Amino acid sequence: MSNREVVVLSVGGVRFVTRASTLQQFPKSRLARMLNDGDREFKLVNGEYFVDRDGTLFSYIMDFLRTLQVSLPADFLDYQRLQREAEFYELYPLADLLSQEHLLKPRQEILEVRFSLQEMQAFFRIFGSCSTTVETLAEQITVFTGQQSGQSWNSPFPSQKPLVALPLERPSHHDMVFQCGTDYSAGDQFVARYVSIKPDNRKLINGTNVLGLLLDTLLKDGFRLLSTRTVSSEEKIECYSFERMKRPAGFAVTVHQTAGNSGVAQAKRSQVQKGK
């Protein structure tokens, strides 16, 4: 690689090495003009370009130029300062996104599990502030039912008798309802309901065991237990509240040349789904 293709910058004393093409993503920016000696703010000293700006924030500028995406740490707070830096370098698509910091900040996600144990049955209701999370969790939970005879609460389910999968009750996009345990129908016949939660393959009938597996699944998925309280002592309803910080959708900037003017780059904002 020739020396012209490699550019070294010292921003506030922090050294960066990159390609010239990376700095030319936006031809009208000051970084692009710098390469043509068109900006006096940048001093060329011993083959390195020096500019007296914030070096830490410039690392996010470089990440944006390399990926054309805005991706900031969950605990990032310096939106206004980074916006000011983007405006200094005349990277206006980035400055525009940063001015809408509410789109970039992680959001708190709340999920609540209500559990009631009544004789031989256990009842669950899960409510979540994010409908997508509730939908994903509903796909993990399956209730199996079958009519049995002469069995007790803790008896293992008889593998020789087929069980039928039941759809979960979904009162709304934000919650789900299901139950497990046994319910006598007539004589010594009763309906048994088992719960399976992926990726665990077990079918559990004991409500306390199902609750333990459900809470463990949520903790592994990044939720944090906030509180445990009794909603109704008479009905024995316990409530478990969870939270997690959900990463927002990232934003990508598409750069293209306008017809008849190869020296102008335009930016188009589009959402890119990120991980949690």
Side-chain angles (χ1 to χ4, degrees):
M1 185 177 294
S2 66
N3 291 334
R4 290 185 178 182
E5 293 179 323
V6 177
V7 180
V8 181
L9 299 94
S10 177
V11 184
V14 182
R15 195 168 182 265
F16 297 88
V17 181
T18 186
R19 292 172 178 265
S21 58
T22 300
L23 299 176
Q24 293 170 330
Q25 289 280 17
F26 297 87
K28 284 196 170 183
S29 71
R30 298 185 76 171
L31 291 170
R33 296 202 306 270
M34 172 193 73
L35 299 179
N36 299 320
D37 297 323
D39 198 312
R40 295 182 179 180
E41 191 73 32
F42 298 86
K43 306 296 182 181
L44 187 59
V45 181
N46 297 326
E48 298 184 10
Y49 289 96
F50 173 80
V51 60
D52 191 17
R53 302 297 295 188
D54 191 307
T56 300
L57 292 178
F58 190 73
S59 64
Y60 301 116
I61 300 285
M62 285 303 307
D63 183 66
F64 171 72
L65 291 175
R66 287 166 175 153
T67 66
L68 296 181
Q69 294 183 12
V70 182
S71 181
L72 300 171
D75 58 351
F76 186 81
L77 298 175
D78 291 333
Y79 290 92
Q80 291 183 348
R81 291 182 60 211
L82 184 55
Q83 179 188 353
R84 188 168 65 240
E85 293 300 297
E87 290 172 348
F88 169 81
Y89 295 109
E90 297 182 8
L91 294 169
Y92 296 116
L94 175 59
D96 175 62
L97 288 176
L98 292 167
S99 68
Q100 306 174 67
E101 60 182 84
H102 64 282
L103 298 175
L104 301 174
K105 286 183 176 179
R107 297 186 298 273
Q108 185 184 47
E109 183 179 351
I110 299 297
L111 191 138
E112 184 179 276
V113 176
R114 294 200 174 196
F115 170 70
S116 176
L117 191 60
Q118 301 177 14
E119 297 181 353
M120 305 290 283
Q121 298 184 79
F123 299 87
F124 295 83
R125 182 160 194 161
I126 302 176
F127 173 85
S129 60
C130 177
S131 60
T132 303
T133 297
V134 176
E135 183 68 32
T136 301
L137 190 58
E139 294 175 355
Q140 292 179 254
I141 300 175
T142 306
V143 177
F144 297 90
T145 185
Q147 195 171 53
Q148 313 297 338
S149 61
Q151 288 185 308
S152 63
W153 168 265
N154 289 310
S155 298
F157 74 93
S159 57
Q160 68 272 19
K161 294 185 179 181
L163 298 175
V164 179
L166 295 177
L168 299 181
E169 295 182 44
R170 298 293 306 277
S172 74
H173 293 296
H174 289 272
D175 62 346
M176 71 180 82
V177 178
F178 62 93
Q179 66 187 82
C180 65
T182 57
D183 180 22
Y184 280 91
S185 55
D188 62 347
Q189 297 291 318
F190 63 86
V191 175
R193 290 185 177 87
Y194 304 85
V195 173
S196 175
I197 305 177
K198 296 177 182 178
D200 194 294
N201 294 320
R202 292 174 296 170
K203 294 180 176 65
L204 304 176
I205 194 172
N206 185 296
T208 302
N209 293 340
V210 173
L211 176 64
L213 178 58
L214 176 60
L215 300 185
D216 184 61
T217 300
L218 293 175
L219 292 173
K220 289 180 178 179
D221 196 34
F223 281 95
R224 181 172 69 92
L225 181 62
L226 287 179
S227 64
T228 303
R229 68 184 191 277
T230 300
V231 177
S232 172
S233 57
E234 294 181 358
E235 298 180 9
K236 300 180 180 179
I237 300 178
E238 300 175 0
C239 179
Y240 300 82
S241 298
F242 293 84
E243 73 163 0
R244 75 173 172 187
M245 299 303 292
K246 185 178 180 182
R247 294 284 297 174
F251 287 85
V253 174
T254 303
V255 180
H256 60 88
Q257 306 296 328
T258 58
N261 192 345
S262 60
V264 177
Q266 294 184 340
K268 179 181 178 182
R269 188 178 67 190
S270 61
Q271 288 197 19
V272 178
Q273 188 63 41
K274 292 284 187 180
K276 296 173 183 175

